């Protein structure tokens, strides 16, 4: 059986810092619905409080191979790239984003 470690600190109502062997993440939300920003990306979770029943979905995965995959830098470029990417059907392939 593997040893697990997890510690949660509440910064203020609705915002928590989670520390485990795998790293640090931040959870923002209310009982029954939260968004977690961590090493794997951004994850949304909804559930019925007190029942143990929940659904979790990875909404923005972290960039693979990034040295900073657990940091905010890993997911902000993904979000901005989706907003500024040109039409994939165009043959020019040029992006409207000045840094892409």
């Amino acid at each position: 059986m593997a040893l697990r470690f997890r510690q949660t600190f509440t910064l203020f109502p609705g915002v928590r810092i989670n520390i485990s062997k795998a790293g640090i993440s931040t959870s923002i939300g209310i009982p029954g619905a939260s968004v977690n920003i961590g090493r794997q990306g951004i994850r949304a979770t909804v559930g019925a409080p007190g029942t143990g029943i929940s659904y979790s979905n990875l909404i923005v995965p972290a960039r693979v191979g990034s040295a900073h995959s657990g940091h905010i830098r890993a997911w902000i470029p993904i979000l901005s790239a989706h907003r500024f990417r040109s039409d994939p059907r165009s043959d020019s392939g040029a992006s409207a984003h000045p840094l892409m």
Side-chain angles (χ1 to χ4, degrees):
M1 180 148 96
L3 180 64
R4 293 184 182 201
F5 168 76
R6 181 170 177 258
Q7 180 66 50
T8 300
F9 300 99
T10 301
L11 295 179
F12 48 89
V15 179
R16 295 178 306 280
I17 299 291
N18 309 302
I19 302 172
S20 72
K21 287 192 321 183
I24 298 175
S25 67
T26 302
S27 296
I28 303 167
I30 59 173
S34 67
V35 174
N36 183 281
I37 303 166
R39 183 172 65 93
Q40 296 178 352
I42 302 175
R43 177 174 297 278
T45 303
V46 293
T51 66
I53 299 171
S54 64
Y55 173 77
S56 183
N57 187 26
L58 188 62
I59 54 177
V60 179
R63 291 181 9 189
V64 177
S66 171
H68 301 286
S69 62
H71 301 286
I72 293 174
R73 282 187 232 168
W75 54 267
I76 288 180
I78 294 172
L79 294 174
S80 63
H82 287 295
R83 274 188 260 150
F84 297 107
R85 193 164 281 160
S86 65
D87 185 3
R89 293 171 289 186
S90 72
D91 25 297
S92 70
S95 173
H97 192 282
L99 300 175
M100 304 293 286

